[in-house]
Amino acid sequence: MALVFLLIQQMIIASSTYFIARLAQSLTEDTISILYMVPFAISLVVVYVPAYFCVINTERAKYDAHKLYNDDFNTVFLGNTYLLSSAELQSTATATLAQESNYTLETVIDSIFDISALVLNVLFNVLVIAWFLDGSLLLGYAVGITFAFMFVHFRRHALKTAAKTDQQTRLGLTAKLFDSWDNVVIFNKHNYTLYNNIIQKSFAIAKNNSVKFTSIQHINSSLGMIILMLPVFVVTAFIFNKHWHDAATIAVLIATLPRQIQLLQMCYELVGYHTNIGVIKTMLEGVLEVLRPNAVDLDTYIQADQIRVKQTGEIFDSTQLPTQGRITLGGDNGVGKSCMLLKLKNHYQEQAYYLPAKHNLYFNYKTDQTHQGSTGQQLIKQIQEIRVNDQSTIVMLDEWDAHLDKKNTQIIDQYIDDLAQTRLVIEVRH
């Protein structure tokens, strides 16, 4: 919809060029035609109406695109619990979803809109000016734009590489900044010093890569602009020399000269966007790459013969589960007890409920910020919500007692016993 209003806007802008050229012609006849002055004045005002709808619809498109990416993110990752074992993927994916995807999609939409506006503006106005002056002007612009595009095309690889490096270091910096809260607010000197050193180094690397990318981008566009201008200036000089005795043509040439300078600036922007097309494509590929995660084989992390049921001492058999009761998994550190829970959750999907020791899962009680309580009190509320509001038949608790005192551990232990009367509870204890 924004492109429809953009087309209307550019047609109005082109009409103003037509009317100013007609006014210039009328001046050579010692008169000013009201027939062209009034429409020219109107075109300067009316153009803001479609411009308003362009802005509004473009803004809507940005939020719709970000929501669509969020929906695709949910579709790709929903229920793939095995991916929780990849901390690197988690930080990259969440940073991309929360920030980089929005920035990239906004850049893509703005670029599509700006490129369309520039193409339509240059095309319509050059046609109008060439119609009044000389058809050879079209050749000048065509040759200039062609050679400029060829130049930046041959320079695209260096820019694409710089853009990819810039995005990767920016994502790395963003992921590290997510760790700021604990390290800054708690302020353990050792932890904060390590964190701050890494952050400062990440900022420096990100800045250098961004400056390098911007430098290459600007040099390419500037040289492309010079290549573009030369044929246009040559043809304009040719037209001036050819029609210097024709007052009407010279008047149109002078009257439209500011518009031609503006058109050259727009062609410069077009050359810049041509340079950026590969960059934008690289950025888009980066955020889309997150939606194509590599599979993780949890079995490579699980030593099944080393995981036992504490209640019986037998090896845990994940293929033969009872319908209710309580199973506590035991085994040495590193045998894959937590990964076993992830594997079960990935297999049973909605039939199973998985509660990790540390999480950002949404619960109803969290809507009341003043009554969240201690870690133990929050866990009690979470188990209560699971019992009342969740219909899963298997409840898996991963190191639920890791940060609890003896009193809260006993209270929650009783809650779990009650829950195990109607469901199967599989837990990993600290």
Side-chain angles (χ1 to χ4, degrees):
M1 186 58 71
L3 294 179
V4 173
F5 286 107
L6 176 63
L7 179 61
I8 297 172
Q9 178 195 38
Q10 296 306 320
M11 291 175 66
I12 294 173
I13 292 173
S15 71
S16 70
T17 303
Y18 172 83
F19 293 130
I20 195 66
R22 283 298 191 189
L23 276 172
Q25 284 182 333
S26 70
L27 287 174
T28 63
E29 302 170 0
D30 297 326
T31 181
I32 298 179
S33 176
I34 300 298
L35 179 64
Y36 301 120
M37 179 177 290
V38 173
F40 173 69
I42 293 175
S43 68
L44 296 178
V45 176
V46 174
V47 71
Y48 291 102
V49 176
Y52 167 79
F53 289 103
C54 285
V55 172
I56 295 300
N57 284 284
T58 301
E59 197 64 23
R60 287 174 178 165
K62 292 177 182 178
Y63 277 93
D64 289 342
H66 196 194
K67 181 181 180 300
L68 181 61
Y69 185 85
N70 177 75
D71 294 342
D72 289 342
F73 184 93
N74 291 347
T75 300
V76 169
F77 291 101
L78 187 64
N80 291 334
T81 316
Y82 63 89
L83 294 175
L84 282 177
S85 60
S86 175
E88 181 180 356
L89 174 61
Q90 179 183 352
S91 63
T92 301
T94 52
T96 301
L97 177 64
Q99 182 173 342
E100 188 67 18
S101 64
N102 188 42
Y103 171 76
T104 299
L105 292 172
E106 283 192 359
T107 301
V108 169
I109 291 173
D110 283 337
S111 298
I112 292 173
F113 182 83
D114 291 343
I115 290 172
S116 301
L118 291 170
V119 169
L120 291 174
N121 196 308
V122 171
L123 179 62
F124 288 168
N125 282 283
V126 169
L127 286 174
V128 169
I129 295 172
W131 184 57
F132 279 100
L133 294 178
D134 194 297
S136 59
L137 186 64
L138 292 174
L139 180 62
Y141 276 95
V143 171
I145 291 175
T146 299
F147 279 104
F149 273 54
M150 288 174 61
F151 167 76
V152 297
H153 180 75
F154 287 117
R155 293 282 297 162
R156 72 190 186 282
H157 179 71
L159 190 64
K160 184 177 180 180
T161 301
K164 186 173 184 179
T165 303
D166 179 40
Q167 184 185 47
Q168 289 175 340
T169 53
R170 188 171 61 247
L171 269 174
L173 173 61
T174 301
K176 291 179 178 65
L177 288 173
F178 278 124
D179 298 327
S180 63
W181 187 257
D182 286 352
N183 286 282
V184 174
V185 175
I186 295 176
F187 188 45
N188 294 321
K189 186 174 181 180
H190 172 69
N191 305 118
Y192 174 76
T193 301
L194 290 175
Y195 163 78
N196 192 49
N197 288 340
I198 291 173
I199 287 297
Q200 295 304 320
K201 186 180 295 184
S202 297
F203 265 115
I205 294 173
K207 181 179 72 173
N208 289 337
N209 287 330
S210 180
V211 170
K212 180 180 178 180
F213 162 61
T214 303
S215 175
I216 295 174
Q217 184 181 40
H218 183 74
I219 291 173
N220 285 3
S221 296
S222 297
L223 292 176
M225 178 63 178
I226 295 172
I227 294 172
L228 183 151
M229 291 169 60
L230 290 176
V232 176
F233 283 166
V234 170
V235 172
T236 302
F238 167 78
I239 294 173
F240 182 83
N241 182 66
K242 179 181 178 181
H243 299 282
W244 67 269
H245 58 279
D246 185 348
T249 301
I250 297 301
V252 171
L253 179 61
I254 294 173
T256 59
L257 191 59
R259 180 73 79 186
Q260 288 204 61
I261 293 174
Q262 184 183 46
L263 290 176
L264 284 172
Q265 292 172 337
M266 290 182 177
C267 289
Y268 169 84
E269 292 182 45
L270 268 178
V271 171
Y273 270 113
H274 176 72
T275 307
N276 286 341
I277 287 176
V279 175
I280 295 170
K281 183 180 178 182
T282 300
M283 292 170 60
L284 193 57
E285 288 174 350
V287 298
L288 294 178
E289 184 66 26
V290 172
L291 302 181
R292 297 187 289 268
N294 295 323
V296 177
D297 185 5
L298 291 175
D299 286 330
T300 60
Y301 302 100
I302 299 173
Q303 300 176 38
D305 60 341
Q306 300 297 315
I307 302 176
R308 297 183 176 274
V309 179
K310 284 190 175 181
Q311 287 86 346
T312 63
E314 297 178 354
I315 294 175
F316 175 66
D317 185 359
S318 61
T319 64
Q320 300 291 328
L321 298 179
T323 57
Q324 62 187 53
R326 186 171 180 177
I327 297 176
T328 304
L329 302 184
D332 296 335
N333 291 334
V335 298
K337 299 185 293 296
S338 294
C339 286
M340 177 63 76
L341 296 186
L342 294 179
K343 180 180 178 180
L344 290 171
K345 172 59 181 173
N346 199 71
H347 176 74
Y348 287 101
Q349 292 291 306
E350 292 184 5
Q351 297 178 46
Y353 188 98
Y354 172 66
L355 188 68
K358 185 178 180 180
H359 61 82
N360 292 310
L361 296 172
Y362 275 43
F363 285 91
N364 287 326
Y365 77 89
K366 288 188 176 183
T367 59
D368 185 359
Q369 297 294 327
T370 61
H371 294 88
Q372 287 195 17
S374 66
T375 301
Q377 291 171 330
Q378 289 188 54
L379 184 55
I380 290 173
K381 293 175 183 177
Q382 291 168 14
I383 293 176
Q384 288 175 332
E385 277 196 40
I386 294 169
R387 183 174 59 183
V388 174
N389 298 326
D390 189 81
Q391 303 303 314
S392 56
T393 57
I394 303 173
V395 176
M396 295 181 290
L397 308 174
D398 193 1
E399 297 194 350
W400 59 266
D401 59 341
H403 305 289
L404 300 181
D405 56 24
K406 183 176 180 180
K407 178 180 178 182
N408 276 316
T409 300
Q410 292 174 343
I411 293 173
I412 295 172
D413 193 55
Q414 184 58 52
Y415 272 100
I416 295 174
D417 275 338
D418 294 340
L419 188 63
Q421 299 299 314
T422 57
R423 308 190 202 188
L424 174 62
V425 177
I426 304 176
E427 60 182 341
V428 173
R429 299 289 294 270
H430 181 62

